[in-house]
Amino acid sequence: MKKIVISTGGGDAPGLNAVIYAVVRSCYKRGWEVYGSRSGYKGLLDLDELVRLEIADVDGIYSMGGTIIGSTNKGEPFNMPIKNLAGEIQVVDVSDKILRNFKRMGFDCHIAIGGDGSLEIARKFAEKGMPVIGVPKTIDNDLEATDRTFGFDTAVATATEALDKLHSTAKSHDRVMVVEVMGRDSGWIALYSGISGGADVILIPEIPFDMEKVCEKIMDNALREKDYAIVVVAEGATALGGEVISKGSGELGRSEVLLGGIGEWVASEIRERTEKDTRSLVLGHLQRGGSPTTFDRLLAMRFGAAAVRLVEKGEFGHMVALASPHMSSVPLEDAVKSRKKVDMQSDKVLTARDIGICLGD
Ligand code: F6P
């Protein structure tokens, strides 16, 4: 009999509930107990925020977006900023308390579902002696150690559907529509949705772009009697010699800057340089919402069940990973070593170029 605690950390991604579903069901099949730590580590810090998860609690949740136990991308337990009574911010390390509570509850393993930030925290807990298994989540698909993260396929489907809808309005008004998508420092969402959604231009962080080339492509469209264009810009894309556009760190305890604004910048440059009627929109958190696609559900369930098999084998300090077509596992330190970038030689990049999409270079 084992007692497992699960947490979901970082930005949510479609498929989180499907992982929880698979973990809970795989554990109960073995006669084990499962608890959920609300909002990342909050439940392990304050035991009132721990919830027992029974089979009935997860009934049907695999098709739901979000996470039934909540998530957060603020408040790293090893460096948690807390406001004292005088209103000053103090950074405290609450990891010892979390580890004490973990032992006090008699947990055998923590299954941490998260992206690079949450998996780095999981790695530090593993180093401190907590038996941890990681599960890779992020719509950005930027974890090197797994072929795919769950959430990405759904985000791409949402962005592609938006592009499909934009074609008719762009065409009716002879307009350029610039669409900013998520993905942080990687261009996966932009590239996959841009190709699938018939974009004319795709700008990704891996290729600093030249506005001249972008405008040439738009004017070339016009010469060929296509008076509208669709431009997809990844939030982390930069102009040649330019910098990433961000809104600062935003909230207290958030470790990464909030990206955004490059879409509007590109739109205003196009407007000025080509005199074309241009509009921009930011797809934002729409890409994180909704029901996971079949691909993401299945991947999430495979990850969840594989995580429980790792617990059974005692392979702690590892993250489950997809090494297509198989499930595998990698040490947590390898999982967080580097971020996965779009490979310039990949056939997706070659496809984009072959079918005449401008990548800004
Ligand atoms: O990492 C997932 C992600 O959606 C990024 O693509 C995006 O930059 C960020 O999270 C947004 O974070 P928040 O939910 O805090 O606005």
Side-chain angles (χ1 to χ4, degrees):
M1 154 69 185
K2 289 192 194 297
K3 212 168 157 182
I4 308 300
V5 59
I6 330 177
S7 69
T8 51
D12 67 342
L16 282 169
N17 281 326
V19 180
I20 297 172
Y21 174 87
V23 168
V24 170
R25 291 183 66 106
S26 303
C27 284
Y28 276 89
K29 177 152 181 267
R30 290 163 169 83
W32 303 352
E33 278 178 12
V34 188
Y35 286 74
S37 169
R38 284 197 212 272
S39 305
Y41 285 83
K42 206 164 172 198
L44 281 167
L45 193 57
D46 169 2
L47 295 180
D48 287 343
E49 299 285 340
L50 266 185
V51 277
R52 177 86 187 258
L53 294 172
E54 305 282 356
I55 292 279
D57 298 316
V58 298
D59 188 35
I61 67 166
Y62 51 80
S63 62
M64 288 162 47
T67 158
I68 59 163
I69 52 176
S71 191
T72 179
N73 51 15
K74 289 184 280 185
E76 205 264 72
F78 291 84
N79 294 290
M80 189 172 279
I82 292 179
K83 242 185 209 161
N84 66 19
L85 291 176
E88 296 150 351
I89 295 162
Q90 282 181 319
V91 177
V92 291
D93 180 349
V94 294
S95 60
D96 284 336
K97 184 169 178 200
I98 288 176
L99 196 59
R100 268 199 309 278
N101 280 343
F102 177 88
K103 288 182 181 157
R104 204 173 118 201
M105 284 298 298
F107 288 130
D108 296 285
C109 180
H110 172 205
I111 296 183
I113 312 166
D116 57 342
S118 313
L119 293 169
E120 169 59 12
I121 298 169
R123 188 198 62 76
K124 288 191 195 165
F125 273 111
E127 210 172 65
K128 242 177 133 81
M130 183 188 277
V132 182
I133 303 289
V135 177
K137 160 242 67 161
T138 170
I139 64 160
D140 304 334
N141 194 37
D142 59 355
L143 290 176
E144 189 77 74
T146 179
D147 288 356
R148 275 293 181 94
T149 54
F150 70 85
F152 171 67
D153 188 66
T154 311
V156 169
T158 300
T160 305
E161 192 189 342
L163 295 177
D164 287 347
K165 289 187 172 163
L166 285 171
H167 272 272
S168 57
T169 174
K171 195 170 182 170
S172 307
H173 289 266
D174 289 345
R175 276 181 176 153
V176 179
M177 299 296 301
V178 180
V179 186
E180 182 181 303
V181 298
M182 285 184 167
R184 297 210 64 84
D185 307 322
S186 300
W188 297 104
I189 299 178
L191 187 65
Y192 276 51
S193 64
I195 297 174
S196 315
D200 299 285
V201 179
I202 303 174
L203 305 175
I204 59 176
E206 292 84 348
I207 307 177
F209 61 86
D210 181 346
M211 261 332 289
E212 283 293 316
K213 300 273 178 187
V214 173
C215 293
E216 261 170 34
K217 170 69 188 172
I218 289 164
M219 296 321 286
D220 185 59
N221 267 8
L223 280 178
R224 288 164 205 276
E225 290 174 14
K226 183 182 180 223
D227 282 320
Y228 75 99
I230 304 287
V231 178
V232 177
V233 190
E235 61 181 0
T238 55
L240 271 175
E243 284 183 6
V244 163
I245 302 185
S246 89
K247 297 174 177 140
S249 67
E251 304 106 6
L252 179 65
R254 198 193 146 90
S255 55
E256 287 188 307
V257 292
L258 207 49
L259 297 175
I262 187 69
E264 183 43 41
W265 185 85
V266 167
S268 65
E269 287 289 313
I270 293 174
R271 207 176 289 126
E272 208 169 285
R273 293 170 186 240
T274 66
E275 294 181 357
K276 294 276 303 172
D277 210 5
T278 306
R279 297 287 187 274
S280 74
L281 74 150
V282 179
L283 283 192
H285 295 80
L286 272 180
Q287 296 158 96
R288 295 228 306 251
S291 185
T293 56
T294 309
F295 180 91
D296 274 341
R297 275 183 219 190
L298 180 60
L299 180 61
M301 286 196 208
R302 290 169 72 199
F303 278 152
V308 174
R309 291 197 296 272
L310 286 191
V311 178
E312 198 163 44
K313 287 196 260 172
E315 250 188 69
F316 302 120
H318 281 68
M319 179 190 84
V320 291
L322 177 67
S324 294
H326 305 291
M327 277 288 131
S328 72
S329 70
V330 291
L332 277 171
E333 51 273 24
D334 293 346
V336 295
K337 241 192 305 205
S338 58
R339 291 204 178 169
K340 183 165 63 184
K341 301 279 189 181
V342 172
D343 172 5
M344 288 309 106
Q345 300 315 317
S346 77
D347 81 286
K348 278 107 191 174
V349 169
L350 301 181
T351 301
R353 295 195 193 281
D354 278 341
I355 63 177
I357 296 174
C358 165
L359 297 179
D361 57 350

